[in-house]
Amino acid sequence: QFSDSAGYVGFANLPNQVHRKSVKKGFEFTLMVVGESGLGKSTLINSLFLTDLYPERYIPGAAEKIERTVQIEASTVEIEERGVKLPDVRCLSFSPLPYHSFKTIIHYIDNQFERYLHDESGLNRRHIIDNRVHCCFYFISPFGHGLKPLDVEFMKALHGKVNIVPVIAKADTLTLKERERLKRRVLDEISEHGIRIYQLPDADSDEDEEFKEQTRVLKASFTSSLSFIPFAVIGSNQLIEVKGKKIRGRLYPWGVVEVENPEHNDFLKLRTMLVTHMQDLQEVTQDLHYENFRSERLKRTGKPVEEEVVDKDRILQQKEAELRRMQEMIAQMQAQMRMKPGDD
Amino acid sequence: PHAGPVESKNEAAMSELVPEPRQKPVVPMKPMGINASLLGYIGIDTIIEQMRKKTMKTGFDFNIMVVGQSGLGKSTLVNTLFKSQVSRKSSGWNREEKIPKTVEIKAIGHVIEEGGVKMKLTVIDTPGFGDQINNENCWEPIEKYINEQYEKFLKEEVNIARKKRIPDTRVHCCLYFISPTGHSLRPLDLEFMKHLSKVVNIIPVIAKADTMTLEEKTEFKQRVRKELEVNGIEFYPQKEFDEDLEDKTENDKIRQESMPFAVVGSDKEYQVNGKRVLGRKTPWGIIEVENLNHCEFALLRDFVIRTHLQDLKEVTHNIHYETYRAKRLNDNGGLPPMTVETEESHESNL
């Protein structure tokens, strides 16, 4: 493995060292799915991770639906394969009704940022848990002609806070032509409204020879990633026998829709994208969304938000506010520490 | 109609419903067979490949400090380690270059590349250490330098608009050169390592090991290990930071048998058995630097570069830096004091 050829030092091995460490450490990943109730979010999550996270849910009647404006279901899935521990994936499902609760979702996301900021500023940073939302699947109804006004509002409110991946739900209600038309429409509207969705990192062309055959298909789909977003998906909790195999699908009189058949829908591509981009999704959350939150948060001194005015007094005020916050935190911790005798 | 109360009820409901500490899986996973297919198709390899891509794109910093009396072969060793002239040898033969009156800190950076991976290597030399008549406290300028790098990093970290990748000038590894007297450690050696092992990863090496026979080497190493233990000096890899059994087993072997590495450095090549090797030519034979029968250079190289490079950085960041930061926050009741420097650098960020 280590070549002792002249001139070879060996630090090209570093990526392996980095990988080994992060594999051992593992990391936390939170996936949020947002969309109208009844679009198949829970079913899709079950299909994604091949588990029944939500066995036989109770579907509320119309009258009760008005009362329950936000349903939050959270569950954790541990994925392990070949001794490689992938992140703990936590799935949150939100079903908002119009106008009431996207603020609630925003608050939730902000709260996680706030908590992380607090932990990051603390004294003991060894075991910070990352509960921030790393990815949001936004479910678009297949029954309309594109984005609804609610969809636009929602995505615009969320795109500065979380990586948005638009998904067309229940894609089996559409023919392939209708699907293409809807996708194009949705993409146009997304760009029209200036909505920023998650961009897949570009695959470099000079890596072709390095990728193995089994990932060739994967790469091909990424070089033209735009043609697959939004992902048109189908989910199913049922196993159906097709050609002697049991597969996840939906049985209709006119045929069987197979969840994992790339010719029937984009489910596999969505799943592949999620699993192989978990790290990138987490990084973009950290480097972009969280940093934006953090700098906005630290700038706020309680006064109404003004335009960016650069002057020394303002900087001084900010630093003093920061100092005060830190001092409060320290005072709290010191008080706690004083209660423990003999520690240092 | 229900705008106000419903919303606040939801917020309350929200904080109740979402579990706070992450719980273990609520639903047990299906048997491995089905799940293996989930990722079998995709291939764990692509995930590894993505990480490799990312590391290669961003490159990485590595800062190594060398400490020891002049003439112990520090620069030669570093050049040998990285197979390039990254450290300028102090020409001891040149009468114009005097030994500095105090300990100087000289940091020189180089970018070297291998297999598509770019490394920004900084070698921090400490000429003057241990060379004075009175060497009291000559470790102080070194400790000061190390802490200054922690301070620099901390200042950048607490900035409002901070850089995505904070430039890392912190010392990841300090090679301490022990003179091959064959007797024992000198008081200066113990002084230095006692103080500095608390702030930086110290890797002790026995320099110019070709002055000792195999028996002398083994005995000397044992004695040095004993002395370090008796004096409570924790060199890298520190026992308390072993993360799991796998680490502990691997590191125990290194701590108890291999370290301190007895090394020989050279930037000259000779022909041995048809191969070109780095070595030192003497009338009684050629000492091959990379030959494990001759010296432990290859062990040191593999240890620092091929297996523990990332860990050296992580221990520096997660342990030494955090210790510094916690002390800083406690001492000052808050952030680092505002200096003119801070304001200027802040303005340049805006």
Side-chain angles (χ1 to χ4, degrees):
Chain A
Q1 197 186 21
F2 295 145
S3 140
D4 270 326
S5 57
Y8 184 71
V9 176
F11 61 85
N13 190 41
L14 184 79
N16 288 335
Q17 293 182 35
V18 172
H19 174 257
R20 188 166 161 264
K21 283 216 165 254
S22 70
V23 152
K24 269 208 224 176
K25 202 170 56 161
F27 62 93
E28 296 104 0
F29 189 87
T30 300
L31 170 70
M32 179 183 271
V33 291
V34 176
E36 277 176 52
S37 176
L39 279 183
K41 298 187 297 299
S42 312
T43 310
L44 183 76
I45 293 180
N46 285 348
S47 305
L48 265 179
F49 300 111
L50 299 179
T51 58
D52 288 316
L53 291 178
Y54 307 109
E56 286 328 306
R57 272 178 50 233
Y58 165 67
I59 312 287
E64 293 164 46
K65 264 195 189 157
I66 298 168
E67 288 290 310
R68 275 158 70 172
T69 55
V70 177
Q71 271 177 321
I72 298 150
E73 289 144 5
S75 41
T76 309
V77 172
E78 238 177 64
I79 308 175
E80 185 160 347
E81 196 217 42
R82 288 197 242 146
V84 173
K85 187 158 186 285
L86 284 190
D88 273 352
V89 178
R90 193 168 65 142
C91 300
L92 304 168
S93 180
F94 288 78
S95 307
L97 279 189
Y99 316 122
H100 284 306
S101 57
F102 67 83
K103 263 199 222 154
T104 318
I105 298 177
I106 305 286
H107 282 160
Y108 177 82
I109 296 176
D110 278 346
N111 278 341
Q112 306 315 308
F113 282 154
E114 183 76 41
R115 194 169 281 126
Y116 193 86
L117 178 62
H118 177 266
D119 288 347
E120 195 191 37
S121 312
L123 279 184
N124 186 350
R125 309 197 295 181
R126 286 210 73 175
H127 302 289
I128 299 179
I129 292 180
D130 187 0
N131 278 327
R132 299 171 295 186
V133 181
H134 303 109
C135 181
C136 173
F137 286 174
Y138 189 85
F139 275 59
I140 297 162
S141 168
F143 305 121
H145 293 290
L147 296 178
K148 301 206 177 93
L150 175 68
D151 296 332
V152 174
E153 281 301 299
F154 237 101
M155 285 202 269
K156 280 174 85 162
L158 288 176
H159 70 173
K161 302 214 168 270
V162 70
N163 297 314
I164 297 183
V165 176
V167 170
I168 294 174
K170 296 197 166 179
D172 54 338
T173 59
L174 303 167
T175 63
L176 287 182
K177 265 222 192 79
E178 289 165 346
R179 219 182 276 179
E180 287 310 306
R181 213 182 310 148
L182 181 59
K183 280 193 184 184
R184 250 178 291 128
R185 192 65 201 278
V186 167
L187 282 179
D188 286 344
E189 288 174 344
I190 282 177
S191 110
E192 228 176 84
H193 288 103
I195 295 170
R196 300 190 295 270
I197 58 176
Y198 174 67
Q199 296 297 324
L200 294 169
D202 292 317
D204 297 330
S205 55
D206 55 87
E207 280 181 66
D208 282 23
E209 43 301 343
E210 288 179 31
F211 270 85
K212 293 176 185 165
E213 178 58 26
Q214 69 178 154
T215 63
R216 186 187 56 81
V217 167
L218 182 64
K219 230 178 73 74
S221 69
F222 285 164
T223 51
S224 55
S225 59
L226 277 182
S227 63
F228 289 114
I229 290 181
F231 295 92
V233 295
I234 301 160
S236 168
N237 283 335
Q238 291 170 319
L239 290 175
I240 300 179
E241 184 141 343
V242 171
K243 292 188 198 142
K245 271 175 45 181
K246 276 210 192 288
I247 51 115
R248 287 207 178 215
R250 291 172 61 73
L251 178 64
Y252 291 108
W254 47 89
V256 177
V257 180
E258 297 163 41
V259 168
E260 292 189 26
N261 186 333
E263 281 170 32
H264 290 193
N265 75 122
D266 301 330
F267 172 81
L268 279 186
K269 295 197 186 73
L270 177 66
R271 188 170 71 185
T272 302
M273 189 233 42
L274 178 66
V275 173
T276 55
H277 288 82
M278 267 183 189
Q279 254 228 321
D280 186 64
L281 283 162
Q282 202 215 24
E283 270 175 33
V284 175
T285 306
Q286 163 77 32
D287 295 339
L288 180 67
H289 302 297
Y290 172 71
E291 287 297 316
N292 282 341
F293 172 85
R294 180 180 174 274
S295 45
E296 284 307 305
R297 180 75 176 73
L298 293 181
K299 277 185 205 154
R300 264 189 281 135
T301 57
K303 292 187 190 156
V305 181
E306 300 161 31
E307 289 306 306
E308 288 244 54
V309 175
V310 179
D311 66 275
K312 289 200 173 167
D313 287 336
R314 177 149 257 265
I315 296 168
L316 197 68
Q317 276 171 12
Q318 288 163 13
K319 290 284 186 186
E320 281 176 349
E322 250 178 308
L323 192 69
R324 255 179 277 124
R325 269 192 290 272
M326 288 293 208
Q327 282 169 332
E328 281 171 287
M329 250 192 283
I330 301 296
Q332 273 179 30
M333 286 186 200
Q334 283 175 337
Q336 282 177 8
M337 284 180 350
R338 254 178 250 125
M339 282 162 36
K340 291 184 190 175
D343 277 69
D344 199 67
Chain B
H2 295 285
V6 168
E7 186 161 84
S8 53
K9 186 167 77 170
N10 286 331
E11 282 173 34
M14 261 200 65
S15 50
E16 277 168 29
L17 285 172
V18 179
E20 273 328 327
R22 292 182 84 92
Q23 297 175 346
K24 276 289 139 188
V26 166
V27 174
M29 291 293 284
K30 286 224 161 55
M32 272 306 274
I34 298 180
N35 289 327
S37 72
L38 168 71
L39 296 152
Y41 170 79
I42 296 160
I44 290 286
D45 313 311
T46 54
I47 299 177
I48 298 178
E49 199 55 41
Q50 301 251 325
M51 282 186 122
R52 188 191 308 275
K53 245 177 59 179
K54 197 193 55 116
T55 313
M56 281 165 64
K57 222 166 54 149
T58 53
F60 66 102
D61 299 330
F62 189 68
N63 308 317
I64 185 168
M65 178 185 263
V66 288
V67 181
Q69 278 184 307
S70 85
L72 280 182
K74 303 190 292 293
S75 301
T76 308
L77 186 73
V78 172
N79 290 345
T80 316
L81 264 178
F82 295 101
K83 299 225 173 143
S84 23
Q85 294 290 323
V86 287
S87 185
R88 231 174 31 113
K89 283 189 272 189
S90 68
S91 37
W93 310 112
N94 184 349
R95 258 181 236 132
E96 264 114 61
E97 271 200 44
K98 298 205 180 109
I99 290 177
K101 293 244 169 70
T102 55
V103 179
E104 290 176 0
I105 315 276
K106 288 201 177 131
I108 304 174
H110 290 263
V111 176
I112 51 183
E113 182 171 340
E114 183 177 82
V117 179
K118 265 202 196 102
M119 171 159 78
K120 177 156 171 288
L121 173 72
T122 304
V123 179
I124 302 133
D125 200 354
T126 54
F129 177 86
D131 292 330
Q132 320 303 330
I133 294 170
N134 179 1
N135 288 308
E136 252 177 46
N137 303 332
C138 66
W139 49 267
E140 278 178 352
I142 296 174
E143 189 179 15
K144 180 160 171 280
Y145 175 84
I146 291 173
N147 284 332
E148 276 168 3
Q149 309 318 305
Y150 292 147
E151 182 71 25
K152 222 188 266 180
F153 196 88
L154 180 63
K155 277 215 180 98
E156 187 57 45
E157 209 185 23
V158 301
N159 242 335
I160 290 178
R162 59 191 182 186
K163 300 199 181 87
K164 178 173 163 177
R165 246 188 95 221
I166 301 176
D168 192 357
T169 56
R170 300 170 297 184
V171 179
H172 302 124
C173 170
C174 173
L175 293 183
Y176 186 79
F177 285 66
I178 297 168
S179 189
T181 60
H183 297 311
S184 60
L185 291 173
R186 296 173 305 150
L188 172 64
D189 299 334
L190 291 170
E191 267 276 294
F192 179 86
M193 286 195 271
K194 230 193 239 170
H195 282 108
L196 275 281
S197 58
K198 301 201 182 94
V199 297
V200 71
N201 295 322
I202 296 196
I203 296 181
V205 296
I206 299 171
K208 301 206 160 172
D210 52 335
T211 56
M212 294 186 286
T213 64
L214 280 181
E215 291 90 23
E216 287 166 349
K217 212 191 294 180
T218 315
E219 277 173 30
F220 187 46
K221 281 171 68 159
Q222 267 174 11
R223 225 169 303 139
V224 168
R225 272 198 296 267
K226 197 72 204 293
E227 274 189 291
L228 291 174
E229 191 186 333
V230 160
N231 282 279
I233 294 169
E234 277 258 42
F235 53 84
Y236 177 87
Q238 302 90 335
K239 272 186 232 131
E240 49 178 333
F241 307 142
D242 287 337
E243 283 174 352
D244 53 33
L245 190 59
E246 193 187 345
D247 277 355
K248 185 174 177 331
T249 320
E250 188 188 348
N251 289 340
D252 269 345
K253 191 159 184 291
I254 294 171
R255 282 187 289 258
Q256 289 157 15
E257 292 173 21
S258 315
M259 287 181 81
F261 300 107
V263 297
V264 174
S266 170
D267 48 14
K268 294 200 172 64
E269 281 186 340
Y270 295 96
Q271 195 93 341
V272 174
N273 294 336
K275 269 178 47 186
R276 291 205 63 80
V277 294
L278 288 171
R280 289 170 59 72
K281 189 161 185 219
T282 69
W284 44 92
I286 294 179
I287 303 154
E288 298 163 47
V289 167
E290 284 173 305
N291 185 334
L292 281 174
N293 292 322
H294 291 194
C295 77
E296 293 163 0
F297 168 80
L299 288 183
L300 173 70
R301 178 201 55 207
D302 289 352
F303 179 64
V304 171
I305 298 175
R306 296 182 187 177
T307 57
H308 285 70
L309 192 63
Q310 183 62 19
D311 189 60
L312 280 162
K313 293 178 59 157
E314 287 192 8
V315 172
T316 304
H317 180 66
N318 295 330
I319 312 279
H320 297 302
Y321 170 68
E322 286 298 311
T323 307
Y324 176 84
R325 179 181 172 273
K327 215 185 321 159
R328 214 48 191 87
L329 289 185
N330 264 327
D331 289 346
N332 255 33
L335 299 168
M338 273 259 295
T339 58
V340 177
E341 205 189 343
T342 309
E343 284 188 43
E344 279 172 6
S345 64
H346 189 83
E347 278 172 16
S348 65
N349 274 341
L350 297 168

